[in-house]
Amino acid sequence: MELRHLEYFLAVADNRSFTEAAKKLHVVQSGVSATIKALERELGAELFVRGSAGVELTPAGEELRPRARETLDAARAAKDAVNATRGSVRGTVTVGILTSISVIDMPAVLAELHTRHPGVTVRLRAASAGSAGLARQLRDGDLDVAFLVFTGPPPADLNARLVAAVPLLLVVPADHPLAQRDSVPLAELEGMSFVDSPPGYGTRTVIDNAFTAAGVERTVVVEVADLGTAATYIRNGLGIGFLSWTILDEIDDFGLATLRVSDYDLEWRLFVTTSAARSTSAATRAVLALIEEIAAR
């Protein structure tokens, strides 16, 4: 058994597909299939149930999965230890990021990282399903680090460090009846149309929870994955919405007005997170340290 066998096994297990695993590994699919068959012969057990809809792990595959990841993590730690004797940090770190989040200056993080640790490569992966999607990828091992928004205490299986807590402001068109107000209670917003991110996104969860707690019905008529574009929909009268100053500072707010919600503290809290079940590499620790340093500025 070689480390390559375990790497290919995890790629198929995580993607539930030989085709997707081959794309991720940058090899031909036949190579992935041959490697998995060799591993199954070595172990004397089938690891996947193959079907027209994809592949599923067998009980043997489920048992192997966490141990394969532990083995690859241990091999990576061994490389880190050898590199440390030469005073160098090397490796690749995959970071999951949220769209329209500029409170953390990632270009500055990457530039400083390249200066201090030129042997570290960072791959940024944008969220396809908000914080919920990134958390799933982090738990599955597809990400080393993820920026997530939590509305309550972070889950116990994730190591999370708060890097920003940002209030949300109600944004309305300049000719809206609320435009001249400084604040408004949630109850007055019942029956109005909203522009918001899809379910599963951190900001959406914060707002949905507040309306549920207040017993106020809310109708989202436009869902946009990139909240940076929400202001355009609001400006054109399709609905009102909640945005943070980090987004408002980056857009032309002509034709918009902002006000506070008077009876609820609406804020999203951004955390930088890693899996508590996996050890972090030296490269990952270097990235985390720089994120915290630049966030503190």
Side-chain angles (χ1 to χ4, degrees):
M1 187 189 302
E2 301 175 5
L3 293 178
R4 177 175 58 89
H5 290 108
L6 299 180
E7 182 183 5
Y8 280 36
F9 163 75
L10 284 178
V12 177
D14 292 343
N15 290 277
R16 295 292 197 269
S17 165
F18 281 83
T19 302
E20 293 302 316
K23 291 179 182 178
K24 179 178 179 180
L25 296 165
H26 305 291
V27 298
V28 296
Q29 183 176 334
S30 59
V32 176
S33 298
T35 300
I36 296 301
K37 287 179 180 178
L39 180 59
E40 290 177 326
R41 285 196 300 270
E42 170 77 16
L43 296 174
E46 288 191 355
L47 301 173
F48 296 101
V49 177
R50 295 141 172 100
S52 58
V55 297
E56 295 293 333
L57 286 165
T58 64
E62 292 285 2
E63 287 294 323
L64 178 61
R65 188 179 188 184
R67 290 161 178 80
R69 204 175 300 282
E70 289 171 4
T71 301
L72 291 178
D73 286 345
R76 183 178 60 184
K79 290 182 180 179
D80 288 345
V82 172
N83 287 329
T85 65
R86 300 196 297 264
S88 63
V89 178
R90 297 179 178 276
T92 299
V93 182
T94 305
V95 180
I97 59 174
L98 298 164
T99 57
S100 300
I101 301 298
S102 59
V103 66
I104 300 297
D105 190 349
M106 282 306 296
V109 171
L110 298 183
E112 185 67 23
L113 181 71
H114 180 71
T115 299
R116 299 186 191 182
H117 307 291
V120 176
T121 300
V122 173
R123 296 174 180 166
L124 297 180
R125 184 176 297 174
S128 58
S131 287
L134 289 180
R136 183 169 57 252
Q137 293 179 58
L138 189 62
R139 291 184 172 100
D140 289 344
D142 291 334
L143 298 175
D144 300 302
V145 179
F147 286 99
L148 303 177
V149 175
F150 296 122
T151 57
D157 63 339
L158 299 179
N159 294 321
R161 309 170 197 184
L162 182 67
V163 292
V166 182
L168 296 172
L169 299 172
L170 181 64
V171 181
V172 301
D175 58 356
H176 193 275
L178 294 175
Q180 304 305 315
R181 302 266 296 273
D182 293 325
S183 63
V184 62
L186 282 185
E188 284 193 34
L189 304 180
E190 188 163 15
M192 296 186 183
S193 298
F194 284 83
V195 177
D196 208 336
S197 50
Y201 281 64
T203 304
R204 173 70 178 265
T205 303
V206 169
I207 299 166
D208 282 348
N209 287 350
F211 275 80
T212 299
V216 179
E217 293 285 338
R218 188 170 80 108
T219 303
V220 177
V221 296
V222 178
E223 292 182 348
V224 290
D226 183 354
L227 275 180
T229 65
T232 302
Y233 294 94
I234 296 171
R235 185 182 291 117
N236 282 277
L238 294 175
I240 61 177
F242 292 92
L243 298 174
S244 68
W245 61 262
T246 59
I247 293 176
L248 292 169
D249 280 355
E250 291 190 345
I251 62 175
D252 178 6
D253 60 0
F254 175 76
L256 298 173
T258 61
L259 58 157
R260 295 181 301 103
V261 170
S262 59
D263 50 348
Y264 279 84
D265 290 327
L266 294 178
E267 70 171 14
W268 60 262
R269 298 181 301 148
L270 184 67
F271 293 80
V272 59
T273 60
T274 57
S275 170
R278 299 179 61 199
S279 60
T280 55
S281 67
T284 298
R285 291 194 296 273
V287 171
L288 289 172
L290 265 177
I291 289 172
E292 291 186 359
E293 179 183 324
I294 289 180
R297 296 175 188 173

